[in-house]
Amino acid sequence: MKTHGDGFIVQYEKGSIRNYDLGSGIVIEIAAECNVDIRGNSDQIGTIVSVPADEKFFKDGDKVLTHYLASADSNCFHYGGQDYYKVTRAQMFAKIHEDGELEPAEDIYFCNDIVVDSTTESGILTTIDGKKNELLKLVITHIPSSVSKVWADDKINVGDVIMPFDNYNYKFTYNKKEYVKIEHKFISGVYLDEKKST
């Protein structure tokens, strides 16, 4: 099978389904493996079947992390008794190496929220668990494979604390850890006086 244009063809690894008892006789089905989006309802890890002719980073056979909407039914087509999905370049986030390590695509960074205490000086909890995410601060955990030449600013490194445009960036779960995905163009700046170990 060969793709035409700038789209990818991806086959998703469907997580096994198991029952989970919520108590009071309520049982729900969830994916047993952590290969779904943070809402737990869409596959994000798949294998590339075909890449566009001019693609430099991804190649056929790569295991990849994609946007959760890429595995929507509307992108699915059937061929030879198998399900395949049409995925755009913008929905392709990272390669997954054999050791499970993520390598983000061009201009894509993965980050962690910075969690701080939400207790006031008088000891009042402002959140249920006493923790909250620091606003407009993320710590870089993974840097892109390359940065487009249209960006002329300094390199951003793992451990840098950055300022995103807003607090509404894409979040996903990988290996039971939550990450924030941000593109280079949505980074407003780097806090020069702050470093967080990752």
Side-chain angles (χ1 to χ4, degrees), residues 18 25 31 39 62 150 162 166:
R18 65 181 169 85
R39 298 160 198 79
D62 280 348
V150 300
I162 60 163
D166 56 38

PDB file of all heavy atoms in Angstrom, residues 18 25 31 39 62 150 162 166:
ATOM      1  N   ARG A  18     -10.596  -4.637  29.291  1.00  0.00           N
ATOM      2  CA  ARG A  18     -10.891  -5.396  30.499  1.00  0.00           C
ATOM      3  C   ARG A  18     -11.991  -4.679  31.272  1.00  0.00           C
ATOM      4  O   ARG A  18     -12.208  -3.484  31.093  1.00  0.00           O
ATOM      5  CB  ARG A  18      -9.643  -5.573  31.366  1.00  0.00           C
ATOM      6  CG  ARG A  18      -9.074  -4.293  31.927  1.00  0.00           C
ATOM      7  CD  ARG A  18      -7.821  -4.591  32.741  1.00  0.00           C
ATOM      8  NE  ARG A  18      -7.100  -3.378  33.084  1.00  0.00           N
ATOM      9  CZ  ARG A  18      -7.355  -2.616  34.121  1.00  0.00           C
ATOM     10  NH1 ARG A  18      -8.349  -2.913  34.927  1.00  0.00           N
ATOM     11  NH2 ARG A  18      -6.628  -1.534  34.359  1.00  0.00           N
ATOM     12  N   GLY A  25     -21.868  -2.171  41.993  1.00  0.00           N
ATOM     13  CA  GLY A  25     -22.355  -2.942  40.858  1.00  0.00           C
ATOM     14  C   GLY A  25     -22.132  -2.302  39.497  1.00  0.00           C
ATOM     15  O   GLY A  25     -22.612  -2.801  38.492  1.00  0.00           O
ATOM     16  N   ALA A  31      -9.403   0.285  28.266  1.00  0.00           N
ATOM     17  CA  ALA A  31      -8.246  -0.307  27.600  1.00  0.00           C
ATOM     18  C   ALA A  31      -7.210  -0.655  28.654  1.00  0.00           C
ATOM     19  O   ALA A  31      -6.853   0.167  29.495  1.00  0.00           O
ATOM     20  CB  ALA A  31      -7.666   0.673  26.581  1.00  0.00           C
ATOM     21  N   ARG A  39      -8.108  10.941  27.888  1.00  0.00           N
ATOM     22  CA  ARG A  39      -9.501  10.638  28.168  1.00  0.00           C
ATOM     23  C   ARG A  39      -9.741   9.133  28.177  1.00  0.00           C
ATOM     24  O   ARG A  39     -10.795   8.667  28.551  1.00  0.00           O
ATOM     25  CB  ARG A  39     -10.393  11.287  27.104  1.00  0.00           C
ATOM     26  CG  ARG A  39     -10.290  12.795  27.083  1.00  0.00           C
ATOM     27  CD  ARG A  39     -10.773  13.355  25.751  1.00  0.00           C
ATOM     28  NE  ARG A  39     -10.313  14.699  25.555  1.00  0.00           N
ATOM     29  CZ  ARG A  39      -9.080  15.034  25.160  1.00  0.00           C
ATOM     30  NH1 ARG A  39      -8.178  14.110  24.929  1.00  0.00           N
ATOM     31  NH2 ARG A  39      -8.737  16.280  25.006  1.00  0.00           N
ATOM     32  N   ASP A  62       7.892   2.585  11.253  1.00  0.00           N
ATOM     33  CA  ASP A  62       8.129   3.277  12.529  1.00  0.00           C
ATOM     34  C   ASP A  62       6.918   3.141  13.442  1.00  0.00           C
ATOM     35  O   ASP A  62       5.763   3.261  13.005  1.00  0.00           O
ATOM     36  CB  ASP A  62       8.376   4.773  12.303  1.00  0.00           C
ATOM     37  CG  ASP A  62       9.788   5.093  11.869  1.00  0.00           C
ATOM     38  OD1 ASP A  62      10.657   4.212  11.950  1.00  0.00           O
ATOM     39  OD2 ASP A  62      10.022   6.252  11.447  1.00  0.00           O
ATOM     40  N   VAL A 150      12.681  28.653   9.967  1.00  0.00           N
ATOM     41  CA  VAL A 150      11.951  29.918  10.082  1.00  0.00           C
ATOM     42  C   VAL A 150      12.076  30.512  11.480  1.00  0.00           C
ATOM     43  O   VAL A 150      11.813  31.689  11.678  1.00  0.00           O
ATOM     44  CB  VAL A 150      10.450  29.777   9.714  1.00  0.00           C
ATOM     45  CG1 VAL A 150      10.278  29.308   8.290  1.00  0.00           C
ATOM     46  CG2 VAL A 150       9.721  28.875  10.680  1.00  0.00           C
ATOM     47  N   ILE A 162       9.840  26.973  30.208  1.00  0.00           N
ATOM     48  CA  ILE A 162       9.351  27.843  29.145  1.00  0.00           C
ATOM     49  C   ILE A 162       8.016  28.479  29.515  1.00  0.00           C
ATOM     50  O   ILE A 162       7.317  28.008  30.409  1.00  0.00           O
ATOM     51  CB  ILE A 162       9.188  27.074  27.816  1.00  0.00           C
ATOM     52  CG1 ILE A 162       8.180  25.925  27.973  1.00  0.00           C
ATOM     53  CG2 ILE A 162      10.532  26.577  27.311  1.00  0.00           C
ATOM     54  CD1 ILE A 162       7.659  25.373  26.663  1.00  0.00           C
ATOM     55  N   ASP A 166      -0.445  30.217  26.285  1.00  0.00           N
ATOM     56  CA  ASP A 166      -1.565  30.104  27.217  1.00  0.00           C
ATOM     57  C   ASP A 166      -1.463  28.764  27.937  1.00  0.00           C
ATOM     58  O   ASP A 166      -0.481  28.045  27.789  1.00  0.00           O
ATOM     59  CB  ASP A 166      -2.912  30.254  26.498  1.00  0.00           C
ATOM     60  CG  ASP A 166      -3.094  29.265  25.357  1.00  0.00           C
ATOM     61  OD1 ASP A 166      -2.655  28.090  25.498  1.00  0.00           O
ATOM     62  OD2 ASP A 166      -3.667  29.635  24.321  1.00  0.00           O
TER      63      ASP A 166
END
